[in-house]
């Protein structure tokens, strides 16, 4: 059995997407790009697959849990990287991130 390691160097998000390709495919089928896959989301492919029994609820919970863990690791790495920057470099980086709308990590429910 192959061990899943999402926290290895380079590509944690890619490893997550590969490990949960079935769920990632469902996410792409949601009616809205910013779907939260919540109980009140109409047109949610995840919610529909869970209701029909096509997606195991435990597997989906693992998807969410590992996604949150990857986001936490990314935040920690970003904080560590920022500690090596001068205050002026940090201000510039923050300004650039605000302009681009880039957030430090992907949002996981």
């Amino acid at each position: 059995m192959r061990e899943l390691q999402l926290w290895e160097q380079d590509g944690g998000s890619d490893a997550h997407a590969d490990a949960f390709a079935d769920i990632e495919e469902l996410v792409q089928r949601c009616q809205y790009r910013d779907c939260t896959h919540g109980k009140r989301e109409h047109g949610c492919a995840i919610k529909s697959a869970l209701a029909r029994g096509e997606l195991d609820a435990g597997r989906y919970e693992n998807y969410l849990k590992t996604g949150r863990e990857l986001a936490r690791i990314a935040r920690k790495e970003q904080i560590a990287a920022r500690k090596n920057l001068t205050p002026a470099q940090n201000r510039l980086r923050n300004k650039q991130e605000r302009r681009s709308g880039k957030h430090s990590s992907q949002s996981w429910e």
Side-chain angles (χ1 to χ4, degrees):
M1 182 177 199
R2 201 173 125 201
E3 186 176 319
L4 176 63
Q5 293 186 348
L6 300 176
W7 53 89
E8 279 187 8
Q9 341 148 319
D10 305 334
S13 294
D14 291 339
H16 185 258
D18 290 345
F20 295 101
D22 55 332
I23 296 176
E24 291 290 326
E25 183 181 325
L26 288 170
V27 167
Q28 296 303 314
R29 287 195 244 154
C30 283
Q31 184 173 350
Y32 306 103
R33 285 183 103 24
D34 62 348
C35 185
T36 63
H37 318 299
K39 293 179 181 178
R40 296 184 181 161
E41 297 280 349
H42 298 289
C44 176
I46 296 287
K47 188 173 92 171
S48 296
L50 287 166
R52 291 190 306 266
E54 294 173 2
L55 175 59
D56 179 68
R59 180 164 171 72
Y60 182 59
E61 286 302 316
N62 286 336
Y63 167 80
L64 294 175
K65 182 179 178 181
T66 55
R68 287 189 301 266
E69 181 65 13
L70 284 171
R72 186 186 68 77
I73 290 168
R75 284 189 304 273
K76 284 177 74 173
E77 288 173 350
Q78 186 179 47
I79 290 167
R82 286 178 184 229
K83 286 181 180 179
N84 294 325
L85 298 177
T86 66
Q89 289 171 319
N90 266 324
R91 285 191 298 275
L92 178 61
R93 183 176 180 169
N94 290 338
K95 187 175 181 180
Q96 289 171 334
E97 286 179 358
R98 281 192 302 273
R99 282 186 181 165
S100 69
K102 182 179 176 183
H103 299 288
S104 62
S105 62
Q106 190 170 5
S107 175
W108 300 97
E109 191 173 289

